[in-house]
C-alpha cells in the first residue's frame, strides 16, 4: 500500500510533482511532523548567476520554509574547486578562488527573493563549504573519511558509470567530488543539525553516500529527497532558450526576457510548470493547464506573470506583460525590450543589418542572420526584411528601430 504523508511539506512535494525518490519516506515524514527540520541543497559557484534549471531546487527550499522548516543554502566555495562530474561529458574548467567568491556574490542576490534569512528557527542560512573543506588535512581526511568509501560502489553510480562507458576521461580530482559532497552532509548535520539533503535525481548517489557516512561516523540518521530531472515536453533541457541559458540575475537576463521565456512555454508543459514554479493552488494549476486553443495562451501569461513576480517582483512582471501586449497586439516598440545602444564612434558611417541582428542577440552569427532573412523570419519595424545587404546609416537610426526574429523575439536598436 502506498504511504500517505502526514507532513505538509511532503504533501506539497508529492502534489506539485517535486518528488522523484526519498531514502526513507515514513522516517522523514515523522521527523517533519515532530519539529523543525533543517534541510539543504548545494549550489556550485560555476557562474555569476544560477539559471532556470536550478529553479526547481530553489522552489523546494521556498516550500520547505513556507511549511515551517529551515532551508540551508550551501554554496560550494570548496567543491567548485573540484567540479561535479555528474552526467557531464567533460571536466569543468577550474576557477580561481577570486572567481568563485565573485560568483557566490552574484548567486546570493537570487535567494533573497525566495527565502527569508535570519536567526529564527525556520529562517534560512547561507553556508559556504570552503569553511570546512579548505582546511582539511589530506592524510587525516583519507584515514577518517576515505576509508568508508568503496571504489567498487562509487564506480557503479550512474554519474560515474556513464562517463566511463563512453570512454571519456574522469580525473581523480572529479572522482573525489562525491566524497566531498558526502562530507558536506555530515558536517552540516554536525554544525547545523541538518536532517535532509535535497537535489536533482542525478544527485541520488552522492546523497546516499552522505547518509551512509553520517551513520558510520556519527551514528545518526539523516534523509535524502530528490526531484525529477526536468526536461520540456519536446525533450530539451530546462533552463536553456534559443539565446542560451536563462539566468536568474536581472543584469544577465532582463525581467522582460525572463517573462517572455515562460510565455513561450509549450502547451503540454503549462500545467506542470504552474505546479512547480508558482504558488497557485494545485486545482488552479490543473484548470489552467487543461485549457485549449487560444485560452492556453492566457494560461501561459498567468504562468509568466507568477514566475516573474516571484523573482523580480509583481511590478516588473506587470511591466513585462504590458510591454509584450504593446509589442504583439499594438505593434509598438515597448520600453522593456532588449536594447542595443550604439555610440556615434561605433556606428561610424553606418552598419549592416546583418551585424545589427547579431549584435542585438537575435542571431548567433552573420550566417544565422542571413538565413533568418532568407527564410522570411526577420522584420524591421514590423515590416518584412528581405534584403541581407541592407546598410543602416546614422540617419536611419535617428529614431530607434525595432528588429524581430519570428513572432516572439524582438530588440530595439538606438543611438546612445
Amino acid at each position: 500500500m502506498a504511504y500517505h504523508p502526514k507532513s505538509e511539506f511532503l504533501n506539497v512535494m508529492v502534489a506539485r510533482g517535486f518528488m522523484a525518490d526519498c531514502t526513507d519516506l515514513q522516517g522523514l515524514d515523522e521527523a517533519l511532523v515532530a519539529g523543525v527540520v533543517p534541510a539543504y541543497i548545494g549550489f556550485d559557484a560555476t557562474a555569476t548567476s544560477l539559471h532556470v534549471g536550478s529553479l526547481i531546487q530553489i522552489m523546494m527550499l521556498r516550500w520547505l520554509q513556507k511549511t515551517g522548516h529551515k532551508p540551508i543554502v550551501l554554496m560550494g566555495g570548496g567543491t567548485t574547486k573540484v567540479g561535479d562530474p555528474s552526467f557531464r561529458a567533460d571536466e569543468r574548467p577550474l576557477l580561481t578562488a577570486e572567481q568563485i567568491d565573485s560568483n557566490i556574490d552574484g548567486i546570493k542576490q537570487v535567494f533573497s527573493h525566495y527565502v527569508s534569512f535570519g536567526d529564527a528557527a525556520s529562517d534560512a542560512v547561507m553556508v559556504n563549504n570552503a569553511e570546512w573543506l579548505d582546511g582539511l588535512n589530506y592524510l587525516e581526511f583519507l584515514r577518517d573519511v576515505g576509508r568508508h568509501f568503496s571504489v567498487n560502489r562509487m564506480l557503479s553510480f550512474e554519474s560515474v558509470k556513464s562517463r566511463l562507458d563512453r570512454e571519456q576521461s574522469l580525473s581523480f580530482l572529479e572522482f573525489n567530488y562525491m566524497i566531498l559532497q558526502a562530507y558536506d552532509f555530515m558536517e552540516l548535520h554536525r554544525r547545523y543539525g541538518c536532517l535532509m539533503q535535497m537535489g536533482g535525481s542525478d544527485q541520488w548517489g552522492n546523497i546516499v553516500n552522505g547518509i551512509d557516512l553520517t551513520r558510520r561516523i556519527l551514528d545518526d540518521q539523516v534523509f535524502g529527497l530528490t526531484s525529477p530531472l526536468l526536461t520540456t515536453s519536446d525533450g530539451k533541457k530546462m533552463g536553456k532558450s534559443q539565446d542560451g541559458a536563462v539566468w536568474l540575475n536581472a543584469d544577465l537576463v532582463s525581467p522582460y526576457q525572463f517573462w517572455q521565456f515562460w510565455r513561450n512555454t509549450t502547451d503540454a508543459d503549462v500545467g506542470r510548470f504552474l505546479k512547480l514554479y508558482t504558488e497557485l493552488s494545485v486545482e488552479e494549476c490543473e484548470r489552467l493547464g487543461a485549457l485549449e486553443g487560444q485560452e492556453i495562451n492566457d494560461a501561459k501569461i498567468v504562468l509568466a506573470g507568477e514566475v516573474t513576480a516571484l523573482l523580480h517582483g509583481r511590478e516588473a512582471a506587470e511591466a513585462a506583460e504590458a510591454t509584450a501586449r504593446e509589442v504583439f497586439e499594438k505593434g509598438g516598440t515597448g520600453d522593456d525590450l532588449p536594447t542595443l545602444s550604439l555610440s556615434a564612434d561605433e556606428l561610424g558611417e553606418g552598419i549592416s543589418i546583418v551585424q545589427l541582428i547579431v549584435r542585438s542577440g537575435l542571431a548567433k552569427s552573420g550566417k544565422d542572420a542571413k538565413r533568418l532573412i532568407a527564410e522570411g523570419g526577420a522584420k524591421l519595424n514590423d515590416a518584412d526584411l528581405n534584403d541581407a545587404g541592407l546598410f543602416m546609416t546614422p540617419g536611419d537610426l535617428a529614431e530607434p528601430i525595432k528588429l524581430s526574429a519570428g513572432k516572439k523575439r524582438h530588440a530595439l536598436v538606438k543611438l546612445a
Side-chain angles (χ1 to χ4, degrees):
M1 192 173 104
Y3 178 77
H4 298 290
K6 300 178 183 67
S7 62
E8 186 184 0
F9 175 70
L10 282 181
N11 272 306
V12 169
M13 291 296 100
V14 172
R16 301 189 81 95
F18 282 100
M19 199 164 82
D21 286 297
C22 181
T23 53
D24 178 359
L25 192 59
Q26 187 168 347
L28 174 59
D29 195 32
E30 288 168 0
L32 287 159
V33 170
V36 175
V37 169
Y40 94 95
I41 299 178
F43 300 88
D44 274 347
T46 51
T48 56
S49 172
L50 299 174
H51 61 63
V52 163
S54 297
L55 199 49
I56 188 169
Q57 264 74 56
I58 296 171
M59 288 300 293
M60 288 170 82
L61 289 173
R62 181 175 172 87
W63 280 112
L64 184 81
Q65 187 169 56
K66 281 174 72 75
T67 54
H69 302 283
K70 187 179 187 71
I72 299 172
V73 181
L74 180 68
M75 297 310 306
T79 38
T80 303
K81 293 168 185 168
V82 175
D84 183 359
S86 295
F87 296 95
R88 284 184 62 86
D90 52 11
E91 189 170 351
R92 292 181 188 274
L94 296 181
L95 304 177
T96 66
E98 291 73 26
Q99 286 173 312
I100 291 169
D101 288 343
S102 173
N103 288 348
I104 288 173
D105 288 340
I107 291 168
K108 276 180 181 174
Q109 298 168 27
V110 171
F111 282 96
S112 59
H113 300 292
Y114 290 96
V115 294
S116 56
F117 292 89
D119 300 320
S122 62
D123 280 346
V125 292
M126 183 171 274
V127 184
N128 187 337
N129 64 12
E131 285 178 28
W132 52 84
L133 294 182
D134 279 4
L136 282 180
N137 177 297
Y138 186 60
L139 291 177
E140 284 180 10
F141 184 74
L142 285 180
R143 183 193 63 202
D144 298 340
V145 177
R147 66 190 179 89
H148 295 292
F149 288 83
S150 157
V151 171
N152 307 55
R153 188 161 181 243
M154 289 164 78
L155 288 171
S156 73
F157 286 128
E158 193 58 39
S159 56
V160 172
K161 201 160 156 284
S162 61
R163 276 277 279 277
L164 298 179
D165 287 348
R166 294 193 302 266
E167 297 184 359
Q168 288 161 331
S169 173
L170 178 73
S171 73
F172 180 69
L173 183 68
E174 292 176 287
F175 195 57
N176 273 270
Y177 186 92
M178 62 179 74
I179 301 178
L180 295 177
Q181 186 171 325
Y183 187 70
D184 281 346
F185 196 176
M186 186 182 73
E187 276 300 306
L188 286 169
H189 177 67
R190 187 154 41 194
R191 294 170 183 234
Y192 296 92
C194 182
L195 288 178
M196 172 169 60
Q197 181 184 356
M198 300 186 291
S201 55
D202 60 334
Q203 296 298 316
W204 179 257
N206 291 336
I207 291 172
V208 169
N209 276 335
I211 292 169
D212 285 349
L213 186 67
T214 305
R215 177 179 51 80
R216 287 169 186 268
I217 294 182
L218 302 181
D219 197 24
D220 285 345
Q221 183 182 20
V222 289
F223 306 93
L225 186 150
T226 59
S227 61
L229 284 183
L230 212 61
T231 55
T232 56
S233 58
D234 53 4
K236 291 178 184 168
K237 195 171 180 182
M238 192 62 188
K240 303 284 185 181
S241 76
Q242 198 166 348
D243 300 323
V246 183
W247 301 106
L248 302 181
N249 288 40
D251 57 335
L252 295 176
V253 170
S254 72
Y256 172 78
Q257 291 169 300
F258 186 75
W259 186 95
Q260 196 63 50
F261 169 79
W262 295 99
R263 169 63 183 81
N264 293 339
T265 295
T266 307
D267 293 2
D269 291 325
V270 174
R272 182 170 57 129
F273 287 1
L274 280 162
K275 287 182 193 174
L276 291 170
Y277 299 115
T278 81
E279 292 176 342
L280 297 177
S281 70
V282 171
E283 295 74 22
E284 179 66 359
C285 294
E286 289 175 347
R287 183 190 74 80
L288 288 166
L291 295 174
E292 295 179 353
Q294 181 55 38
E295 287 186 322
I296 194 68
N297 290 324
D298 297 333
K300 292 178 188 181
I301 289 170
V302 172
L303 171 67
E306 292 299 314
V307 182
T308 305
L310 277 175
L311 177 59
H312 296 297
R314 184 66 62 183
E315 198 175 312
E318 289 171 355
E321 183 180 344
T323 296
R325 289 192 189 282
E326 185 180 342
V327 169
F328 298 123
E329 295 173 11
K330 302 173 188 171
T333 52
D335 293 336
D336 284 352
L337 281 183
T339 300
L340 170 65
S341 296
L342 295 173
S343 67
D345 286 345
E346 282 180 289
L347 187 60
E349 294 182 7
I351 187 169
S352 74
I353 197 72
V354 167
Q355 278 185 283
L356 286 182
I357 290 172
V358 173
R359 291 193 56 187
S360 60
L362 297 178
K364 292 181 179 175
S365 66
K367 189 177 176 182
D368 283 345
K370 287 174 184 174
R371 186 187 305 117
L372 181 71
I373 294 169
E375 292 174 354
K379 288 184 184 289
L380 171 60
N381 291 331
D382 297 318
D384 290 342
L385 174 60
N386 303 312
D387 182 6
L390 186 63
F391 193 75
M392 306 295 285
T393 66
D396 294 325
L397 294 170
E399 293 290 327
I401 64 167
K402 176 181 160 192
L403 295 173
S404 304
K407 293 180 180 178
K408 297 178 178 178
R409 299 166 59 233
H410 310 272
L412 293 182
V413 180
K414 65 180 184 180
L415 291 176

